[in-house]
Amino acid sequence: MKRGGSDEAKRRAGESAAEQVEDGMIVGLGTGSTAAHAIDKLGQQVDAGLDIQGIPTSFQARANAREAGIPLTTLDEATPDIAIDGADQFADGNLIKGGGAAHAREKIVDSAADRLLVVVDPTKEAETLEHPVPIELLPAARQPVTDALEAAGGEPTLRAAAHKDGPVVTDNGNLVVDCDFGTIDVPAELATTLSQIPGVVEHGLFVGLAAEIHVGTANGVRVVTP
Ligand code: 5RP
């Protein structure tokens, strides 16, 4: 899916993270237009002899990895040494993810990895998180989850599909709401609140997971270490 930010900056970020991957590594493969650049670069490195296996975080990441010629495995078989993934916003090392509705599997793979390298363009940087938080939920739980999110101070909006009547349906067969909480002063607290709502499959707050954030710019890459 095409989203905002310069593609050149995204490419720099993706390639910078891909360069940290070494022979023999298991690599979590993130979703989105910036992570796709990392996957492309890894594919080139595999062509040149790099021996790795990837664990995709979504249908699209799997398709990108297959196209790039990266051998794949699963979390049943291996644990990622490193994961490379994008973000919709970052502040103080914490992330909001889920612009591609892939955050449930992304969080599983990214959390399992020894190190998560986040790849972004400068439009993703904020002083404080305030982007609406994507929340994947079971379809049968839509109303009670909506009520609970409103009680927690959020304004949830069911994500509509772009090329289909009705809502986005995730790779896992669930729905997504984007929940506006305004400025998120204590992300860990909100993350705990969201995780405790019955029917929530996963939310897009990634707290304390990033080891490095590679910010591609117009002429280079800035690496932020939280
Ligand atoms: C998908 C994600 C993406 O990583 C996030 O939306 C960033 O995407 P992009 O690099 O295209 O801006 O969380 O669920």
Side-chain angles (χ1 to χ4, degrees):
M1 182 189 278
K2 191 98 179 132
R3 289 190 276 274
S6 133
D7 197 53
E8 197 49 26
K10 291 178 183 211
R11 186 182 60 73
R12 286 202 178 90
E15 293 189 354
S16 163
E19 278 160 13
Q20 292 207 12
V21 174
E22 294 170 6
D23 228 26
M25 280 187 169
I26 305 293
V27 187
L29 302 172
T31 300
S33 54
T34 319
H37 284 297
I39 293 174
D40 285 349
K41 177 72 176 177
L42 288 171
Q44 291 164 19
Q45 291 169 315
V46 166
D47 282 349
L50 184 74
D51 176 23
I52 58 167
Q53 287 182 293
I55 301 183
T57 54
S58 64
F59 180 98
Q60 189 58 47
R62 182 170 185 274
N64 293 348
R66 282 169 62 90
E67 170 100 23
I70 301 171
L72 298 178
T73 185
T74 68
L75 290 174
D76 291 333
E77 316 296 331
T79 303
D81 298 287
I82 207 167
I84 302 176
D85 207 345
D88 299 302
Q89 191 170 61
F90 74 95
D92 290 330
N94 298 317
L95 318 173
I96 293 180
K97 287 185 48 57
H103 52 285
R105 283 200 221 170
E106 289 176 321
K107 195 177 281 186
I108 294 167
V109 174
D110 295 353
S111 306
D114 290 346
R115 297 173 70 226
L116 168 61
L117 309 186
V118 180
V119 291
V120 290
D121 66 76
T123 64
K124 307 297 181 63
E125 185 160 18
E127 290 220 349
T128 310
L129 294 178
E130 42 82 38
H131 190 280
V133 181
I135 296 165
E136 179 167 346
L137 52 99
L138 294 173
R142 186 164 79 89
Q143 194 54 52
V145 169
T146 298
D147 294 345
L149 292 172
E150 285 172 352
E155 283 179 25
T157 305
L158 183 66
R159 192 180 296 181
H163 301 292
K164 157 189 174 289
D165 287 343
V168 162
V169 177
T170 70
D171 290 358
N172 314 308
N174 297 315
L175 304 178
V176 174
V177 293
D178 293 294
C179 195
D180 191 347
F181 289 97
T183 301
I184 302 170
D185 293 320
V186 191
E189 217 168 77
L190 180 59
T192 303
T193 302
L194 298 179
S195 294
Q196 286 171 344
I197 299 173
V200 166
V201 174
E202 194 51 86
H203 58 78
L205 279 169
F206 284 43
V207 178
L209 282 180
E212 289 178 4
I213 302 173
H214 293 234
V215 187
T217 65
N219 44 21
V221 177
R222 184 163 50 91
V223 179
V224 179
T225 309

